[in-house]
Amino acid sequence: MPADTVSVTGWGRTAPSTARLIRPRTYEEAVAAVRDCGVRGGIPRGLGRAYGDAAQNAGGAVWDMTGLDRIHVVDAAAGTVLCDAGVSLHRLMEVLLPLGWFVPVTPGTRYVTVGGAIGADIHGKNHHVSGSFARHVPSFELLTADGTIRTVGQGTPLFDATAGGMGLTGVILTATVRLQRVETSLMSVDTERAADLDDLMARLTAADHRYRYSVAWIDLLARGAATGRAVLTRGDHAPLDALPARSRTAPPAFRPSRLPPAPAFLPNGLLTRTTVGLFNELWYRRAPRARTGELQRLSAFFHPLDGVPHWNRVYGRSGFVQYQFVVGYGQEDALRRIVGRIRAHRCPSFLAVLKRFGEADPGWLSFPRPGWTLALDIPAALPGLGAFLDELDEEVAAAGGRVYLAKDSRLRPDLLTAMYPRLADFRALRAELDPRGVLTSDLSRRLNL
């Protein structure tokens, strides 16, 4: 297989490293790539939407798995799909919607592969109802470090190590996924404004059980009595009878719109506290105080940023850090303190969202646990950012919380054990399964995974 030596980075465009990029197109080529990876090992990579260094491998191999992208079987009666790990959620939506099915979990981008969705155990706006992605995967085929292809089912140690294991237990080749039944390609959406953080948490706690999907955009620059003000958006798949009569005969279809891409080169400093503050003010004021039953396209509700190709360029050449953490229910004071510290530090984030997580998932390194999760994008060039986020990490860990490894690019390894209690089990299984360290990444070396 041909290999190109390229600079590889995550979606945040920080900490690039150079690796040999290999693109297997058959299972046999994937096996050969793993067996011949070299002394620096290799790591599978999908569509590159992990924000940090999880799919990078300095001096080694990176296996681009998007060449394995076949949809093998759609069982429209049972509501399952068997597909290659390189198939994107975008492609699944295109194929499945006309059949009356939707993916069970989608994050804020549809440009994620099925293998990446399992490896990061992605979550979405419906975690409080549906859990994370791996919960909907009965089994997958895993190529392990010795070149063996294994069938891995739910409830086994290898499944739980792989779900959220960031590609470090093996290369997922195929997976079976259980789907969500839908009647239309529209969402019925309720929107309301929350005056501050306590008002927001009260609204989420009181009514989230009535919605399949729930998310709040939060203003982290607002001060005083408005600290934590937010726009809360919740909804479900629109039933057929919610559509106008003339639209009910058309089969569901996935046709997202696209805007021109962001320019290839933008200067640092475009997203300042002043510009983001003005955006946040406008966004909050233009949101309705209360609106119910609005019909929205799937792409507008789930993936608004996907409509702007290469939107990550707006942060300039230095890129950005996405910081996401979760703290448990009963730790609301910790959440208030962290939000207050972010506001006091004046982090210019216009992409900040708060959600509630439901029952924890079984993956040993799976991120979600019952509680509150906050995610925010911060320009990497912000002065003092590294030290500030280190302080937040310590507060999160002290509250029994954790940060999301699929978005991390700078966590200190000494905090990892407190955040992920099954870390020792994960390391032990890896040592048994892969004693030579074939599966490795910049993330695994940094955190000693």
Side-chain angles (χ1 to χ4, degrees), residues 288-301:
R289 293 185 181 275
R291 181 176 60 201
T292 60
E294 180 191 16
L295 294 178
Q296 292 185 8
R297 299 173 69 176
L298 288 166
S299 56
F301 182 79

Side-chain angles (χ1 to χ4, degrees), residues 47-271:
L47 288 167
R49 291 304 178 106
Y51 286 79
D53 55 2
Q56 301 172 211
N57 182 24
V62 171
W63 304 309
D64 178 349
M65 301 305 296
T66 58
L68 294 173
D69 60 355
R70 292 173 295 174
I71 297 176
H72 296 279
V73 179
V74 178
D75 188 333
T80 61
V81 60
L82 171 63
C83 63
D84 286 346
V87 173
S88 69
L89 300 191
H90 175 94
R91 178 62 180 150
L92 285 182
M93 292 173 195
E94 288 181 325
V95 171
L96 297 172
L97 265 172
L99 303 176
W101 295 100
F102 191 65
V103 295
V105 172
T106 177
T109 176
R110 59 187 178 268
Y111 296 116
V112 176
T113 63
V114 169
I118 298 169
D121 201 13
I122 60 170
H123 58 271
K125 299 177 175 70
N126 60 340
H127 190 275
H128 63 291
V129 173
S130 302
S132 57
F133 193 88
R135 189 182 298 185
H136 306 272
V137 178
S139 64
F140 51 77
E141 300 290 329
L142 187 71
L143 168 60
T144 51
D146 60 358
T148 301
I149 298 176
R150 311 177 187 218
T151 299
V152 184
Q154 278 189 348
T156 63
L158 187 51
F159 188 102
D160 292 344
T162 303
M166 306 311 300
L168 295 170
T169 60
V171 181
I172 299 171
L173 297 178
T174 67
T176 299
V177 183
R178 288 190 293 263
L179 306 171
Q180 168 69 39
R181 170 70 80 179
V182 297
E183 296 181 3
T184 72
S185 54
L186 295 175
M187 301 293 296
S188 177
V189 181
D190 295 351
T191 305
E192 57 189 289
R193 291 194 301 200
D196 56 36
L197 180 60
D198 284 341
D199 182 31
L200 173 61
M201 289 193 290
R203 290 171 186 260
L204 286 165
T205 301
D208 257 10
H209 65 279
R210 303 204 313 258
Y211 298 91
R212 181 176 297 275
Y213 302 98
S214 177
V215 67
W217 168 89
I218 183 170
D219 184 355
L220 293 175
L221 289 176
R223 299 182 177 185
T227 297
R229 67 181 180 178
V231 178
L232 177 56
T233 307
R234 294 181 285 198
D236 206 335
H237 298 277
L240 193 61
D241 59 13
L243 273 59
R246 65 181 182 277
S247 302
R248 295 177 189 173
T249 57
F254 189 64
R255 300 189 185 95
S257 58
R258 287 169 68 89
L259 296 173
F265 299 103
L266 286 170
N268 291 332
L270 185 65
L271 298 180

Side-chain angles (χ1 to χ4, degrees), residues 240-424:
L240 193 61
D241 59 13
L243 273 59
R246 65 181 182 277
S247 302
R248 295 177 189 173
T249 57
F254 189 64
R255 300 189 185 95
S257 58
R258 287 169 68 89
L259 296 173
F265 299 103
L266 286 170
N268 291 332
L270 185 65
L271 298 180
T272 66
R273 292 168 176 136
T274 299
T275 59
V276 173
L278 290 172
F279 171 87
N280 287 1
E281 180 71 25
L282 176 63
W283 191 260
Y284 182 78
R285 295 296 176 187
R286 71 183 291 272
R289 293 185 181 275
R291 181 176 60 201
T292 60
E294 180 191 16
L295 294 178
Q296 292 185 8
R297 299 173 69 176
L298 288 166
S299 56
F301 182 79
F302 289 110
H303 318 117
L305 288 175
D306 281 346
V308 183
H310 306 294
W311 63 263
N312 57 338
R313 295 173 180 170
V314 303
Y315 290 90
R317 295 186 179 184
S318 296
F320 70 99
V321 171
Q322 178 155 115
Y323 186 71
Q324 183 169 5
F325 68 89
V326 57
V327 293
Y329 296 123
Q331 293 292 335
E332 286 76 14
D333 283 344
L335 178 62
R336 292 185 186 99
R337 287 194 302 271
I338 292 169
V339 167
R341 295 183 68 171
I342 294 170
R343 178 197 55 76
H345 199 75
R346 304 288 289 159
C347 292
S349 176
F350 72 96
L351 296 174
V353 296
L354 183 74
K355 297 192 293 282
R356 295 173 75 247
F357 279 158
E359 182 181 348
D361 298 288
W364 293 347
L365 297 187
S366 184
F367 169 66
R369 52 157 295 178
W372 304 94
T373 180
L374 177 65
L376 61 151
D377 291 351
I378 313 171
L382 187 70
L385 179 60
F388 175 66
L389 292 182
D390 284 346
E391 294 172 2
L392 294 191
D393 290 340
E394 293 173 0
E395 184 141 13
V396 168
R402 60 184 60 145
V403 300
Y404 191 13
L405 297 183
K407 296 182 177 180
D408 176 60
S409 58
R410 25 76 40 210
L411 178 68
R412 296 199 321 258
D414 58 290
L415 293 175
L416 200 63
T417 302
M419 292 181 173
Y420 289 91
R422 300 298 300 272
L423 179 62

Side-chain angles (χ1 to χ4, degrees), residues 419-433:
M419 292 181 173
Y420 289 91
R422 300 298 300 272
L423 179 62
D425 295 325
F426 179 82
R427 285 171 169 161
L429 185 143
R430 275 202 72 209
E432 177 184 348
L433 195 67

